[in-house]
Amino acid sequence: MTAVAPTALQLGLCSCEHCGLLSRAWPGHEEGRCPRCGAGVELRKRDSVQRTWAFLIAAAVCYVPANLLPVLTTKTAAGSDSDTILQGVVLLWSPTGWPLALIVLVASVMIPSAKILALAYLLLSVQHERVDHHDQHGRLYRIVEFVGRWSMVDVFVDAFTAALVQLQPLMSVSPAPGLFFFAAVVVLTMLAAESFDPRLIWDCDGAPEALHAGT
Amino acid sequence: MPEPETTPAPNVPQARVVRRGRLSRVWIVPVVAALAGAWIAVTKVMSEGPTVTIQFKTAEGIEAGKTKIKYNGVEIGTLQTVKLSDDHRSAVATARMEPDTEHFLVEDTRFWVVRPRISGASVSGLGTLISGAFVTLDIGDSKKSQREFLALELPPVVAREEPGREFVLKAPDLGSLDAGTPLFFRRIKVGEVTSYELAKDSKTLAVKVFVLSPYDELVTANTRFWNASGVDVSLTASGLNVQTESALSVLIGGIAFETPSTGVDLPESDVDSVFPLYENHEAAFRTPAHDPQTFVLVFHQSVRGLAPGAPVEFRGIPIGEVVSVDAELDAKSFDFRAPVTISLDAQRLGVHVISLEPGADPDAVRRNVIDSMVLHGVRAQLETGNLLTGALYVSFDTFPDAPPAMIDWSHKPPRMPTVSGQLETMEASVSSILNKVDKIPFETLGTDLQKSVADLDRTLATANAALVSAKGALDNTGRLVEPNSQLTTDLGNTLRSVDDAANSVRVLADYLERHPESLIRGKPQGTK
């Protein structure tokens, strides 16, 4: 990169995320405490790559049961029925209901997996210093972070349904184990996105040594 | 960590130092997730039961992933896939069973689909209208494990584990019976028809019924089964007869049974005992012929109103029934006759074969007794049992005046002599009277009568004249006997003279009595 202003890292400065006080990093150390408010300050998120990997792996692990286990148990007079997310998609898929099925498919299956893959891609890129198009990587990260909060919609809707549809003994809906794993996937991917430090993307060209020190 | 190259703001404070380990504690999260996932996977694998393959005739109503396998209402499995068989003739379903169902899956376990079923006999599986069909099973007794099954077409009527016994009924026709037709005992449902098949001789049907325990103990050797289907209305010689069973059997038919009390406790009947299936309650409880004898009664009169089954009575006591009514023509005399075949309970006629001397031929004895009865004037006649319907019955009675007759033992069955029935006799007399009346020459009689009347007229006129003369004569007579008539006076005088004469005679007689000598001497002087 040319004609770029020095980064805070290069200047040895970091700002407090709570009170906004700019402070000098302690030499040889990645982080410290804000001298004004005492909150943690850091040049780069602590153990960002490691933590993101951890959350991502946990999310990936939970993704399997989330899709294999039923998320909702519907009890009607006709008997009880447990459906996984994909079964729900198949159930909804009809000439008139396909848009809904598509929404469920995108929101519940594709987005979580896309998030996991995108974060993994970002992490690998950062780790192997293969970041050529910083702006693209940055946009990818912002998308992941933005979408994250909406992934929760599924879990929210299911929990909401379970709470509302209690017309016992005619009909009742209760959450099934898959829902908890699904919620875990959503939360863990959000945490992963949160713990990923996008600044690492730009670190790749400016200060490779700093990156290594941060991992 | 590189040393900061520049110091843009000297008054920037120094952050305080925090020291941490190299490996983040956040790795606990994926470890926990992995453990949870592993635990779920393990329990899932552990909870997975055996897989079975069930071949269905049709996959109607069953759905992969949805259709459950239930036993006594408890879900014990789910159909995973439903495919056509290789020969496209049936549907093959694979089902995942719940764990611990291994012992269900033995050689003679029977699977079938429970669908809403409305057959002639029963309505079942209504719940499946809402919940959809499900597969259920009847657990076999075998010890041999099996994983491939051929589903039953129809649900077995009686599950294997239900206690009870099966009996076979012999029926002339199926009527409204069907597998599942209920079996009633005092209108309680105690069993069902399980199956039926044509007997080997193709003449009767073997209807298998299953009687649930403990009602199966009620079936003994003399239990009567009858078809209790619907309302049985019969108009017989004894009047209108309406028999109904429970409302259910009126709708869908049924079989009822009862054991007549004999005073003797008969042993319970064996499984697969064969019982006749009577057409109705009456037929079932018609006094059984202990010693049935078939006779033919030949009637030379109309047998209209005489139907098979009509009672044969001896002075009002039922002793048998009419078996058949036929017609025959005597070619020689061109005489139409109605041979009526009857079945007589000879024992009820007083022919107790039991009381025979040992060694005696019961047939010969029976023949002798009946012969002597006929000799003493016992005859059969047709009687009207019901004036409304004209139903006839056969009545035996003693007719001492009947022309002598004998049983014709040469015929098979033997022919018994008959006499005309009361109505018939009455008819005969009336007609003979009418015949006589018919013979009266009313026309001639009329003419004669007319003549006679004319004669009478003349006669009467003459008689009148005679009467007038007679009156005249009588008047004269009257005058003759009047008090002052000459005749009367003369008669009075004469009578007085006679009186005087009589007095004189009396005096003479008195005198003679006192003086008989005067007859000889004459009247003495001086005496009177």
Side-chain angles (χ1 to χ4, degrees):
Chain A
M1 295 293 264
T2 53
V4 168
T7 63
L9 179 69
Q10 284 162 350
L11 294 175
L13 290 175
C14 57
S15 79
C16 175
E17 287 178 9
H18 290 252
C19 64
L21 179 73
L22 197 65
S23 59
R24 234 179 309 119
W26 189 263
H29 290 283
E30 190 69 6
E31 55 192 312
R33 291 213 176 270
C34 173
R36 185 161 70 190
C37 68
V41 289
E42 54 205 356
L43 283 169
R44 291 292 174 266
K45 281 187 183 164
R46 182 170 50 87
D47 299 338
S48 175
V49 175
Q50 198 185 131
R51 282 163 63 93
T52 309
W53 270 125
F55 285 127
L56 215 52
I57 289 167
V61 166
C62 289
Y63 185 77
V64 177
N67 279 291
L68 290 183
L69 293 179
V71 284
L72 273 188
T73 302
T74 316
K75 284 199 187 78
T76 60
S80 84
D81 226 342
S82 298
D83 285 317
T84 64
I85 293 171
L86 281 172
Q87 277 173 340
V89 171
V90 170
L91 211 65
L92 286 171
W93 195 270
S94 67
T96 50
W98 65 266
L100 197 60
L102 207 64
I103 289 173
V104 173
L105 185 70
V106 168
S108 304
V109 183
M110 283 161 75
I111 286 181
S113 54
K115 266 168 72 179
I116 292 169
L117 290 174
L119 279 172
Y121 170 68
L122 285 175
L123 279 172
L124 287 172
S125 313
V126 164
Q127 268 185 313
H128 293 96
E129 304 163 34
R130 288 237 188 93
V131 183
D132 299 326
H133 307 282
H134 303 107
D135 48 346
Q136 281 178 18
H137 282 73
R139 199 179 298 135
L140 185 63
Y141 172 71
R142 281 192 297 278
I143 291 170
V144 166
E145 207 186 20
F146 169 78
V147 158
R149 67 197 77 167
W150 295 106
S151 296
M152 205 59 189
V153 164
D154 253 54
V155 180
F156 176 72
V157 165
D158 283 359
F160 202 65
T161 315
L164 283 182
V165 186
Q166 296 294 336
L167 301 169
Q168 277 172 352
L170 280 179
M171 191 183 182
S172 69
V173 173
S174 53
L179 187 66
F180 302 112
F181 282 95
F182 187 76
V185 170
V186 173
V187 170
L188 287 170
T189 52
M190 281 168 79
L191 286 172
E194 187 70 26
S195 56
F196 181 74
D197 196 334
R199 288 173 290 194
L200 292 171
I201 296 169
W202 291 275
D203 283 342
C204 283
D205 34 66
E209 23 346 325
L211 182 84
H212 289 299
T215 47
Chain B
M1 172 67 65
E3 282 299 309
E5 290 165 17
T6 53
T7 311
N11 58 340
V12 170
Q14 183 76 47
R16 281 178 274 149
V17 174
V18 174
R19 291 174 191 279
R20 284 181 194 279
R22 295 300 294 167
L23 199 67
S24 172
R25 272 172 293 185
V26 80
W27 285 104
I28 292 169
V29 174
V31 168
V32 167
L35 285 177
W39 182 72
I40 290 282
V42 166
T43 50
K44 184 93 177 166
V45 168
M46 295 284 279
S47 70
E48 227 151 60
T51 310
V52 292
T53 311
I54 310 165
Q55 193 175 338
F56 294 98
K57 183 87 184 162
T58 162
E60 187 198 332
I62 60 176
E63 204 181 328
K66 289 273 172 212
T67 305
K68 311 287 185 206
I69 298 175
K70 293 183 181 177
Y71 184 71
N72 281 350
V74 179
E75 203 181 305
I76 58 161
T78 311
L79 294 194
Q80 302 283 313
T81 60
V82 179
K83 284 185 202 141
L84 268 184
S85 67
D86 292 339
D87 60 356
H88 313 305
R89 282 168 188 270
S90 51
V92 178
T94 52
R96 178 158 305 281
M97 305 294 285
E98 294 284 317
D100 303 328
T101 51
E102 299 276 344
H103 59 286
F104 288 11
L105 309 168
V106 291
E107 211 176 7
D108 52 350
T109 293
R110 298 175 293 175
F111 285 85
W112 69 93
V113 182
V114 178
R115 302 182 176 102
R117 205 166 74 91
I118 303 168
S119 76
S122 60
V123 179
S124 64
L126 276 188
T128 60
L129 279 179
I130 302 165
S131 66
F134 62 89
V135 176
T136 190
L137 69 160
D138 182 27
I139 300 166
D141 306 319
S142 170
K143 293 272 175 271
K144 206 174 152 198
S145 185
Q146 190 172 325
R147 288 290 180 271
E148 286 186 9
F149 297 94
L150 184 66
L152 298 178
E153 264 301 279
L154 291 171
V157 171
V158 181
R160 201 188 311 262
E161 72 270 20
E162 281 188 86
R165 277 180 300 160
E166 198 167 53
F167 302 99
V168 181
L169 307 182
K170 233 170 84 178
D173 67 285
L174 194 60
S176 58
L177 302 180
D178 192 5
T181 298
L183 189 69
F184 296 99
F185 177 75
R186 292 172 203 256
R187 298 186 191 173
I188 306 168
K189 192 186 161 192
V190 297
E192 279 180 329
V193 172
T194 54
S195 66
Y196 51 86
E197 58 186 21
L198 208 59
K200 290 215 169 60
D201 59 359
S202 304
K203 282 178 184 157
T204 53
L205 281 170
V207 179
K208 283 189 176 169
V209 294
F210 187 85
V211 183
L212 289 171
S213 184
Y215 301 100
D216 57 335
E217 289 168 19
L218 300 166
V219 180
T220 62
N222 64 341
T223 296
R224 311 287 171 79
F225 288 84
W226 71 90
N227 200 330
S229 308
V231 184
D232 184 20
V233 181
S234 55
L235 204 56
T236 62
S238 46
L240 183 71
N241 196 349
V242 183
Q243 282 276 335
T244 59
E245 284 294 328
S246 76
L248 181 67
S249 68
V250 169
L251 283 175
I252 61 171
I255 294 177
F257 73 89
E258 211 173 300
T259 306
S261 59
T262 50
V264 188
D265 274 341
L266 286 163
E268 285 169 36
S269 207
D270 291 334
V271 181
D272 290 337
S273 291
V274 179
F275 293 91
L277 179 66
Y278 294 97
E279 56 181 318
N280 53 36
H281 179 268
E282 198 200 332
F285 283 91
R286 207 169 276 157
T287 320
H290 297 295
D291 188 11
Q293 292 281 297
T294 309
F295 291 99
V296 168
L297 309 170
V298 181
F299 290 103
H300 297 268
Q301 65 182 83
S302 165
V303 289
R304 187 178 175 277
L306 189 69
V312 174
E313 296 180 353
F314 184 83
R315 292 188 179 169
I317 301 156
I319 53 165
E321 64 173 44
V322 171
V323 176
S324 67
V325 180
D326 305 298
E328 75 176 23
L329 175 66
D330 188 348
K332 266 189 230 162
S333 61
F334 210 73
D335 179 21
F336 280 104
R337 297 176 300 205
V340 174
T341 313
I342 59 163
S343 165
L344 276 191
D345 185 3
Q347 207 167 322
R348 287 208 145 215
L349 268 178
V351 188
H352 285 279
V353 181
I354 300 154
S355 62
L356 285 176
E357 296 159 31
D361 177 16
D363 273 342
V365 172
R366 195 187 294 128
R367 192 177 282 206
N368 278 342
V369 171
I370 295 172
D371 261 343
S372 66
M373 282 170 83
V374 171
L375 214 60
H376 284 86
V378 170
R379 298 285 184 276
Q381 66 173 6
L382 289 181
E383 295 249 23
T384 309
N386 191 325
L387 280 175
L388 209 65
T389 60
L392 295 178
Y393 68 99
V394 176
S395 165
F396 275 90
D397 209 337
T398 324
F399 297 92
D401 304 334
M406 291 292 287
I407 294 183
D408 188 354
W409 292 101
S410 63
H411 271 88
K412 286 268 178 221
R415 300 199 154 185
M416 267 194 175
T418 63
V419 293
S420 295
Q422 282 177 353
L423 205 65
E424 185 73 7
T425 328
M426 210 150 75
E427 259 175 47
S429 341
V430 169
S431 76
S432 87
I433 291 168
L434 284 176
N435 276 340
K436 281 172 189 160
V437 169
D438 217 21
K439 279 178 194 149
I440 298 170
F442 285 106
E443 272 182 41
T444 346
L445 275 177
T447 328
D448 291 354
L449 198 63
Q450 221 170 359
K451 266 189 229 157
S452 309
V453 169
D455 289 352
L456 196 64
D457 219 18
R458 282 197 296 278
T459 318
L460 282 175
T462 322
N464 209 10
L467 278 174
V468 171
S469 320
K471 194 173 178 269
L474 280 174
D475 283 351
N476 290 338
T477 317
R479 272 197 301 278
L480 275 176
V481 295
E482 261 173 27
N484 299 321
S485 66
Q486 187 62 46
L487 186 63
T488 315
T489 316
D490 292 352
L491 198 62
N493 292 340
T494 312
L495 285 175
R496 260 190 304 277
S497 305
V498 171
D499 199 28
D500 287 347
N503 272 336
S504 304
V505 171
R506 197 184 308 125
V507 169
L508 177 66
D510 282 348
Y511 181 82
L512 283 178
E513 203 174 358
R514 270 175 279 138
H515 306 285
E517 69 280 3
S518 57
L519 274 175
I520 304 156
R521 294 174 189 173
K523 198 169 174 184
Q525 292 296 312
T527 60
K528 188 145 178 243

